[in-house]
């Protein structure tokens, strides 16, 4: 008589928009797998920005802790997550918790799993800058997750090497690619959303990737002077290219970002500040950009997936694979450097094409099935 195998109970936990977009493909894959019982808990460290992604992927959480506070400090959100998430973990008694990346939610969830002796699978494991202050506090968050994790789902071999260097056993690491590329594949296969067509029409940006420069900047280590520097560079560029390019900057809801960006960039004709865009329109807008300037982590991967040359507004990146292949260039936050590098790419078509042709190193768009298979194959 064949033994009936018990389903693996997997509790996925996330809290912010980027975790949601990367983990929704994984949750959908888990839900479709007959050997897995999939449950989802959102801390809602982000409220509006998270809900947009859940709606796009038609994913409904089983638990919603609704923990976001206005202008929350890192200790407030950490404390709230620790206190509220433990009840869910105790109630569900999962075989595995899956977390992704390096936010406060990931760090707190990993710690709680350790306290409750629950296995952790860490998606997007092994990203490092080697500098605990950059990005802040994400570099330390992901190192904490790595100390606790039982299974490290690394996006690239470079990330795997980082983990090996930290003494993590090879048989606990599986290179899967980044599920952010799965999300991008699913979403860009959909028709262009009317919202994007409307924006492009209103701003008279043609469909040919010639007229749009997309900007995003929201990182905590860039708050204050670095973000002001980024804004002043964007202002110079917008003035210089008043007739040729339109700059669009969807502004993150963090009040520190909102205040600075609206104060410094509020009034330039060919520069449009938008509220944060949903993941679906943002992916489509990115695909129409000539160039992207960003300090985001996930956009570095998405831009590489779409083949859009991207200048990274940070001093260091935990995604050096994209810099090595050439699709990303690290420019920091010095205004003169941002301006010079942007001018170079907008005016030297050869340099631009060399970047645009570079390879995407972050995955083939099928990480989610590999992540789920790695959980099923795990040998303690
Ligand atoms: C967090 C992550 C960061 C990630 C970013 C993506 C940490 C430590 N950082 O930073 O890695 O790149 O999310 O977005 O977890 N807010 C809203 N509505 C929303 C979302 C945010 O009003 O839907 C405002 C709130 O005032 C909130 C503030 O933004 O207090 C900051 O959110 P928080 O999650 O603390 O940090 P982020 O800067 O978003």
């Amino acid at each position: 008589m064949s033994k009936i195998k018990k389903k693996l109970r997997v509790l996925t936990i996330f809290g912010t928009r980027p975790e949601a977009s990367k983990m929704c493909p994984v949750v959908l894959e888990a839900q479709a797998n007959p050997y897995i019982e999939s449950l989802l808990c959102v801390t809602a460290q982000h409220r509006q920005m998270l809900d947009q992604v859940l709606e796009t992927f038609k994913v409904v959480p089983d638990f919603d802790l609704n923990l976001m506070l206005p202008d929350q400090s890192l200790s407030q959100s950490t404390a709230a997550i620790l206190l509220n998430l433990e009840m869910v973990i105790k109630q569900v008694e999962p075989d595995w918790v899956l977390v992704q990346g390096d936010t406060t939610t990931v760090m707190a969830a990993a710690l709680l799993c350790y306290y409750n002796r629950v296995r952790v699978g860490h998606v997007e494991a092994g990203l490092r800058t080697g500098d605990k202050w950059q990005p802040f506090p994400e570099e330390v968050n992901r190192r904490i997750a790595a100390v606790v994790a039982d299974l490290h789902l690394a996006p690239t071999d470079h990330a795997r090497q980082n983990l090996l260097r930290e003494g993590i056993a090879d048989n606990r690491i599986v290179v899967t690619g980044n599920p952010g590329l799965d999300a991008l594949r699913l979403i860009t296969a959909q028709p262009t959303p009317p919202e994007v067509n409307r924006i492009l029409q209103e701003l008279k940006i043609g469909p040919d990737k010639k007229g749009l420069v997309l900007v995003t900047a929201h990182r905590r280590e860039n708050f204050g002077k670095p973000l002001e520097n980024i804004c002043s560079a964007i202002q110079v560029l917008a003035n210089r290219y008043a007739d040729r390019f339109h700059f669009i900057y969807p502004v993150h809801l963090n009040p520190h970002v909102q205040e600075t960006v609206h104060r410094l960039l509020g009034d330039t004709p060919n520069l449009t500040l938008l509220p944060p865009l949903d993941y679906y329109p943002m992916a489509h807008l990115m695909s129409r950009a000539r160039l992207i300037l960003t300090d985001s982590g996930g956009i570095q991967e998405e831009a590489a997936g779409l083949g859009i040359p991207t200048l990274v507004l940070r001093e260091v990146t935990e995604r050096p694979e994209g810099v090595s292949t050439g699709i990303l260039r690290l420019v920091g936050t010095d205004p003169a450097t941002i301006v010079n590098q942007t001018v170079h790419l907008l005016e030297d078509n050869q340099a631009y094409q060399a970047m645009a042709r570079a390879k995407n190193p972050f995955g083939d768009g099928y990480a989610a099935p590999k992540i789920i298979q790695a959980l099923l194959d795990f040998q303690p």
Side-chain angles (χ1 to χ4, degrees), residues 60 64 70 86 107 115-116 126 147 156 169 187 190 198 221 223 243 262 275 287 290 309 349-350 379:
V60 181
D64 187 335
E86 184 155 39
M107 181 273 292
Y115 294 158
N116 289 279
V147 169
T156 63
I187 291 305
Q190 311 270 331
R198 192 174 42 73
E221 69 274 18
F223 286 2
D243 301 331
H262 282 274
S287 74
R290 174 84 178 158
N349 194 41
Q350 251 185 344
Q379 305 280 346

Side-chain angles (χ1 to χ4, degrees), residues 16-19 45-50 68-74 77 102-105 136-138 141 218-220 223 252-255 257 296-297:
T16 68
R17 174 172 67 178
E19 292 161 74
Q45 178 188 331
H46 286 176
R47 186 68 276 169
Q48 305 93 305
M49 289 161 73
L50 172 77
M68 190 185 86
L69 295 172
D71 201 10
Q72 61 207 354
S73 70
L74 292 173
S77 43
D102 50 22
T103 66
T104 300
T105 291
F136 169 80
E138 288 80 7
N141 285 345
H218 73 278
R219 299 227 72 88
R220 278 166 195 266
F223 286 2
H252 190 285
L253 289 175
N254 192 312
V257 181
S296 154

Side-chain angles (χ1 to χ4, degrees), residues 232-242 247 293 338-339 342-343:
S232 77
I234 302 302
Q235 182 77 66
V236 170
L237 287 163
N239 290 339
R240 179 175 178 131
Y241 292 114
F247 291 70
L293 280 74
I338 298 173
V339 169
T342 306
V343 168

Side-chain angles (χ1 to χ4, degrees), residues 145-324:
V147 169
V148 172
D150 300 274
L151 182 59
H152 306 257
L153 291 319
T156 63
D157 192 59
H158 179 87
R160 174 173 161 270
Q161 296 296 337
N162 286 340
L163 294 165
L164 290 173
R165 261 196 302 280
E166 288 174 14
I168 290 169
D170 206 0
N171 64 354
R172 295 296 172 105
I173 308 171
V174 180
V175 177
T176 61
N178 197 310
L181 275 291
D182 300 35
L184 196 65
R185 176 177 58 76
L186 296 170
I187 291 305
T188 50
Q190 311 270 331
T192 308
E195 186 181 347
V196 170
N197 286 329
R198 192 174 42 73
I199 293 172
L200 295 173
Q201 259 166 20
E202 268 175 24
L203 302 176
K204 300 193 173 55
I205 299 170
D208 51 3
K209 281 198 183 184
K210 287 219 170 96
L212 169 63
V213 178
L214 195 59
V215 182
T216 81
H218 73 278
R219 299 227 72 88
R220 278 166 195 266
E221 69 274 18
N222 281 343
F223 286 2
K225 193 69 191 152
L227 184 57
E228 289 177 8
N229 284 344
I230 291 170
C231 290
S232 77
I234 302 302
Q235 182 77 66
V236 170
L237 287 163
N239 290 339
R240 179 175 178 131
Y241 292 114
D243 301 331
R244 282 179 57 197
F245 293 103
H246 200 99
F247 291 70
I248 296 184
Y249 183 166
V251 188
H252 190 285
L253 289 175
N254 192 312
H256 300 275
V257 181
Q258 287 277 333
E259 190 280 320
T260 307
V261 174
H262 282 274
R263 175 166 48 83
L264 295 176
L265 292 179
D267 201 17
T268 310
N270 62 323
L271 195 165
T272 303
L273 303 179
L274 294 175
L277 289 170
D278 290 11
Y279 176 69
Y280 176 21
M282 183 63 182
H284 281 263
L285 198 62
M286 276 194 290
S287 74
R288 309 291 273 271
R290 174 84 178 158
L291 186 67
I292 298 176
L293 280 74
T294 189
D295 70 357
S296 154
I299 291 178
Q300 294 176 51
E301 292 145 2
E302 289 156 1
L306 295 165
I308 311 289
T310 293
L311 299 179
V312 182
L313 307 169
R314 294 164 57 167
E315 305 304 331
V316 283
T317 177
E318 60 286 87
R319 292 163 172 90
E321 302 92 329
V323 179
S324 304

Side-chain angles (χ1 to χ4, degrees), residues 111-164:
L111 200 57
L112 278 174
C113 288
Y114 174 64
Y115 294 158
N116 289 279
R117 296 176 186 272
V118 173
R119 280 201 185 116
V120 176
H122 185 208
V123 175
E124 198 182 276
L127 273 61
R128 298 288 183 273
T129 60
D131 177 348
K132 74 174 179 179
W133 299 111
Q134 299 195 65
F136 169 80
E138 288 80 7
E139 176 78 1
V140 164
N141 285 345
R142 57 196 174 214
R143 288 199 221 173
I144 293 172
V147 169
V148 172
D150 300 274
L151 182 59
H152 306 257
L153 291 319
T156 63
D157 192 59
H158 179 87
R160 174 173 161 270
Q161 296 296 337
N162 286 340
L163 294 165
L164 290 173

